[in-house]
Amino acid sequence: MNVLMNEDLYELYLSGKSRKYKEVERNRELMDGFIRAVKIMTQARDVKELSNFSYLHYERLKYEWSGYSSVRLSNRFVHRLIFTETPDGLEIRFIDIDDTHYGNKQ
């Protein structure tokens, strides 16, 4: 799939550094999960393939997040990569890394 990212996420993906996503940058487990998720998303032929990777916990979101989808960066943390899908399902545009999707219980 073609993956489009905002400038901050692209910087994080390429260099491992970002002014906006310091928490992810400093946490090796979250950073590895982010890199892994992006690689899987770029290699997948369509969005349905993301369901084959159970550790991503791919889901279409509901309620106030309706129209967005997400994958988990790590099983140990609540951080999720939230994105929109194009109608043909071949492009993903990253929106945000969120740690409040299920409520931050830490």
Side-chain angles (χ1 to χ4, degrees), residues 5-13 15-26 30-31 34 65 79 81-82 94-99:
M5 294 185 231
N6 66 38
E7 187 177 322
D8 292 315
L9 284 171
Y10 190 65
E11 178 184 9
L12 181 65
Y13 182 70
S15 68
K17 303 208 179 291
S18 170
R19 290 169 294 228
K20 185 175 180 181
Y21 299 107
K22 289 288 186 191
E23 184 179 1
V24 175
E25 173 188 329
R26 292 180 187 134
L30 289 175
M31 189 64 200
F34 172 68
W65 289 97
H79 293 72
L81 196 56
I82 298 175
F94 290 100
I95 301 298
D96 202 0
I97 294 176
D98 180 48
D99 64 352

Side-chain angles (χ1 to χ4, degrees), residues 10 13 15 27 54 59-60 63 77 82-83 95 98 105:
Y10 190 65
Y13 182 70
S15 68
N27 186 312
S54 61
E59 64 179 330
R60 287 202 169 124
Y63 309 113
F77 297 97
I82 298 175
F83 52 90
I95 301 298
D98 180 48
K105 299 177 177 98

Side-chain angles (χ1 to χ4, degrees), residues 19 25 30-31 33 36 42 48 56 58-59 62 67 75 77 87 102 106:
R19 290 169 294 228
E25 173 188 329
L30 289 175
M31 189 64 200
R36 178 185 63 187
T42 57
K48 292 176 187 168
L56 288 178
Y58 165 75
E59 64 179 330
K62 301 177 192 174
N75 284 330
F77 297 97
Y102 292 114
Q106 297 176 349

